[in-house]
Amino acid sequence: KEAKRILQYKFNCIRPNDDIRSFLDIGCSEGFYVEAAEQLGLDSCGIDVPSLNNDRCRDLGLNVLSTDEKLPERVYDFVMLRHTIEHIPFFIDVIQSYLHLLSDNGVLCLETPNQGGLFISLTGDSLTNDRFLRHLYPPTHVNGFEPKTYRVLAKKLGLNVEKIITYSNASSDWFPNYQGKYLKRLAHNFSAKLGRGENIAAFLKK
């Protein structure tokens, strides 16, 4: 239910729901958003590296492919890479390899931690344990992103920036079940409105 609500909010950020008929989640993990898209009546598919997650998704009847399988010969209206590209050294090459799956006028949604987030900036400016610097902690997170990074990336990919949003774990549209204290929620929501939330969602369009 949470994934369905979040996904519907993402669609509404960029265009009316009835304009989106198909959905692709690259790096789909356990397939929550693939299933949510199905529940919203979309033709949905997920792709991820070979793992037991893929098998579990298929056992649930979800359309999930492994990266070593042949890609579908079709296009999708909404393609999402959610908290994926910060883990991939050559992430631009990976995104470009999937762009042919984006329909004309389709939307590419990229989400990552925000290296320019207000709270991480206040606490993470010095290197800790020889590997932690804000949201960078190799070998897990090897790339850092800020909103302006996506404007440069869009040009590199030949796409247009439709909208860039920052959000935090206290943003109810992105994390409906957040249980933090009221004042902390207010502070995080305020930082997100300033464009300095702890996460970024960039909507790029063909």
Side-chain angles (χ1 to χ4, degrees):
K1 290 181 180 179
E2 184 174 336
K4 183 178 176 181
R5 174 177 163 181
I6 295 168
L7 194 59
Q8 196 154 29
Y9 175 77
K10 291 178 186 181
F11 294 159
N12 287 333
C13 281
I14 198 70
R15 56 168 63 175
N17 276 1
D18 56 6
D19 284 348
I20 299 173
R21 296 181 175 83
S22 53
F23 170 80
L24 175 64
D25 186 1
I26 301 170
C28 66
S29 186
E30 297 181 15
F32 295 123
Y33 288 96
V34 177
E35 184 173 13
E38 276 194 4
Q39 292 175 2
L40 289 170
L42 305 183
D43 183 0
S44 67
C45 180
I47 298 174
D48 211 328
V49 295
S51 71
L52 291 175
N53 281 340
N54 297 18
D55 296 334
R56 285 194 286 265
C57 288
R58 289 167 179 165
D59 289 343
L60 292 171
L62 300 177
N63 182 20
V64 171
L65 301 173
S66 297
T67 51
D68 57 359
E69 294 182 279
K70 185 178 179 181
L71 296 176
E73 295 181 2
R74 57 156 305 165
V75 293
Y76 295 86
D77 298 325
F78 196 97
V79 176
M80 182 175 77
L81 286 93
R82 179 185 177 275
H83 289 275
T84 301
I85 59 176
E86 66 268 27
H87 301 278
I88 304 172
F90 302 103
F91 69 93
I92 294 179
D93 294 340
V94 172
I95 296 173
Q96 287 176 327
S97 72
Y98 289 112
L99 282 183
H100 68 284
L101 299 177
L102 187 63
S103 66
D104 291 337
N105 208 37
V107 174
L108 174 66
C109 177
L110 302 172
E111 294 181 55
T112 60
N114 181 13
Q115 195 75 350
L118 179 60
F119 289 94
I120 196 70
S121 298
L122 294 174
T123 61
D125 271 339
S126 42
L127 196 64
T128 306
N129 297 330
D130 296 324
R131 66 187 290 258
F132 294 91
L133 183 62
R134 297 196 187 183
H135 287 298
L136 287 175
Y137 32 95
T140 308
H141 286 192
V142 296
N143 302 306
F145 298 86
E146 296 185 24
K148 61 185 177 183
T149 312
Y150 282 104
R151 301 189 187 283
V152 175
L153 179 59
K155 289 182 180 179
K156 180 80 174 177
L157 297 172
L159 301 176
N160 298 308
V161 175
E162 194 74 6
K163 184 178 286 190
I164 295 176
I165 297 171
T166 72
Y167 63 94
S168 74
N169 291 353
S171 300
S172 58
D173 291 315
W174 300 87
F175 296 92
N177 294 324
Y178 176 75
Q179 300 294 322
K181 294 181 179 179
Y182 177 71
L183 289 179
K184 186 175 181 181
R185 178 191 290 272
L186 283 181
H188 276 281
N189 284 341
F190 180 68
S191 69
K193 289 183 184 298
L194 294 176
R196 299 199 63 187
E198 299 309 303
N199 301 282
I200 309 170
F203 299 89
L204 311 181
K205 196 172 178 182
K206 266 193 173 180

